[in-house]
Amino acid sequence: SRKSKFSEENLLQQLLDGNKTALGRAITLIESNQFSHREKAQQLLEGALPYSQKSIRIGITGVPGVGKSTFIESFGSYLIEKGKKVAVLAVDPSSSVSHGSILGDKTRMENLVTEENAFIRPSASGSSLGGVAKKTRESIILCEAAGFDVILIETVGVGQSETTVHSMTDFFLLLKLAGAGDELQGIKRGIIEMADAIVINKADGDNIKAAREAKLEFNRALQLYPSKESGWKPKVALSSALEQIGIDSVWKLIKEFEKLGKENGFFLKNRKEQNKFWLLQTINEHLKNRFYQNPVMKNELKIQLKAIENNKVTAFAAADLLIKKFENLA
Ligand code: GDP
């Protein structure tokens, strides 16, 4: 209809005006796999890009049940009280299988969703983490262009998703629980290395003593890690997302981190490095899709997989043959 065409033409302007409905529609557009939407989405992104970059992007990870959504609810509300506009996005590696295990549930973040200055977007669906990640990254740009100045990106501590979120955020926050067994052994070393802060959540009630001990232990452990390029020494903090304790000190840490990074140049350097990384990622993803979604290659791949199963060919010879076939198609 005329009316929807009219508003679609103005989508970018409405987005820049901070209209949340427009923002939601813009994200839907970039998430669309429909070919006809792609050009429009690209234009929108290009239009939004000059107005982005002004936010702080915070990654939040932790195992299911650690209190991520409760923390985001408290933290987000705290920031809104301070006059911030807060967007919450999610990278969920399982969403393509389970149709959204994080942020999909509308009952989470009950208060935050009602705030005028909050925008919450359930995780994008996609056939690959790479695809979901690309959409999330583009969504960050759209949120920033719409005036959101704190972007929280949640992910479940599964597989590669933390690395992905780390590669699109300025600050990486790991939520942990005290007394959840082997404090230090149970964690993947890589995640600790990525963390700019470890926040021990549920530091309330009977848990306080254990939380304090865990804090000491993490602090001790962090001493053993090499210093970071950012010049930032990762911090350990306590929080009760439920009772809204320690939330302000987490924000204080993030502000300190930002100040240091802007003084020593790391903040912007890191974003540039991330942009380069995402250029390469986007090319990789695109090439991969072209290969695997090509009907000819799908068939050829099937044949070679069968040949390998029957010991007719080595993996390398089969790969070589497939790549040559693909190159001849292109
Ligand atoms: P998520 O799976 O990481 O998003 O965790 P949720 O935010 O859904 O929290 C899981 C459970 O832990 C819920 O029952 C919360 O009420 C509870 N919870 C979250 N934060 C706290 C906290 O700071 N203290 C206590 N005691 N419980 C909490």
Side-chain angles (χ1 to χ4, degrees):
S1 73
R2 226 194 218 164
K3 194 164 171 247
S4 72
K5 186 152 185 276
F6 176 74
S7 58
E8 242 169 56
E9 275 163 11
N10 281 307
L11 196 55
L12 177 62
Q13 192 51 55
Q14 290 171 352
L15 175 86
L16 296 176
D17 289 344
N19 182 318
K20 285 204 286 185
T21 311
L23 175 58
R25 285 181 49 198
I27 294 178
T28 302
L29 202 61
I30 61 152
E31 285 179 351
S32 168
N33 290 322
Q34 239 174 288
F35 190 76
S36 62
H37 288 159
R38 215 177 280 168
E39 199 181 334
K40 223 180 270 172
Q42 200 52 41
Q43 281 173 1
L44 202 56
L45 272 173
E46 273 165 33
L49 205 55
Y51 303 94
S52 66
Q53 298 280 338
K54 278 173 207 144
S55 73
I56 178 127
R57 305 163 183 169
I58 303 166
I60 298 178
T61 192
V63 296
V66 71
K68 288 181 298 301
S69 57
T70 312
F71 182 86
I72 291 170
E73 166 107 342
S74 290
F75 191 52
S77 304
Y78 167 82
L79 292 171
I80 284 168
E81 252 172 60
K82 286 185 89 73
K84 300 283 178 197
K85 286 183 73 177
V86 180
V88 184
L89 305 170
V91 171
D92 181 0
S94 63
S95 67
S96 52
V97 185
S98 66
H99 298 289
S101 63
I102 60 173
L103 281 180
D105 185 351
K106 286 264 187 272
T107 59
R108 303 172 86 225
M109 305 173 199
E110 292 178 314
N111 296 318
L112 204 55
V113 289
T114 65
E115 290 282 357
E116 174 58 28
N117 284 334
F119 177 82
I120 301 179
R121 183 78 181 188
S123 56
S125 63
S127 53
S128 70
L129 179 58
V132 172
K134 178 170 179 282
K135 290 165 184 175
T136 307
R137 226 185 108 79
E138 292 175 342
S139 300
I140 294 174
I141 290 166
L142 296 177
C143 289
E144 291 176 354
F148 287 88
D149 44 20
V150 181
I151 317 288
L152 304 178
I153 301 156
E154 177 189 7
T155 192
V156 148
V158 173
Q160 281 293 302
S161 65
E162 295 101 344
T163 314
T164 303
V165 170
H166 183 251
S167 69
M168 57 175 85
T169 50
D170 306 308
F171 189 92
F172 197 69
L173 196 158
L174 171 64
L175 283 180
K176 291 291 300 170
L177 293 178
D182 302 317
E183 238 54 89
L184 301 168
Q185 284 145 34
I187 327 166
K188 286 176 271 175
R189 186 186 158 94
I191 298 177
I192 297 266
E193 259 164 35
M194 283 189 278
D196 296 302
I198 296 170
V199 176
I200 298 154
N201 191 38
K202 306 197 187 182
D204 49 43
D206 294 342
N207 240 332
I208 289 182
K209 190 165 171 278
R212 287 196 184 126
E213 279 163 12
K215 183 179 171 179
L216 285 176
E217 206 172 325
F218 274 114
N219 262 326
R220 221 174 292 133
L222 283 173
Q223 306 290 322
L224 304 173
Y225 286 85
S227 55
K228 293 189 162 208
E229 196 201 340
S230 58
W232 173 255
K233 282 196 175 13
K235 304 289 187 296
V236 187
L238 301 179
S239 77
S240 169
L242 204 59
E243 295 178 11
Q244 286 156 38
I245 299 167
I247 302 297
D248 52 345
S249 53
V250 174
W251 179 238
K252 221 176 116 204
L253 280 181
I254 294 171
K255 295 303 287 177
E256 272 173 38
F257 172 89
E258 189 182 16
K259 185 167 177 284
L260 176 74
K262 286 189 172 166
E263 279 167 7
N264 70 14
F266 179 80
F267 194 91
L268 287 179
K269 180 174 176 252
N270 187 42
R271 282 198 173 182
K272 280 186 195 159
E273 289 302 320
Q274 290 180 341
N275 285 339
K276 290 183 206 164
F277 172 77
W278 281 99
L279 166 75
L280 301 177
Q281 279 294 105
T282 306
I283 293 171
N284 290 349
E285 189 72 15
H286 179 78
L287 291 178
K288 230 166 63 182
N289 286 343
R290 274 190 47 192
F291 182 97
Y292 288 107
Q293 285 168 13
N294 185 303
V296 176
M297 295 318 300
K298 273 187 192 169
N299 194 45
E300 293 290 339
L301 181 60
K302 233 185 256 164
I303 294 168
Q304 294 306 319
L305 286 171
K306 191 91 196 159
I308 286 177
E309 196 178 312
N310 295 330
N311 290 322
K312 293 254 162 63
V313 65
T314 68
F316 306 106
D320 211 40
L321 190 121
L322 287 169
I323 289 165
K324 283 206 177 103
K325 283 223 158 106
F326 183 62
E327 280 171 347
N328 284 335
L329 284 179

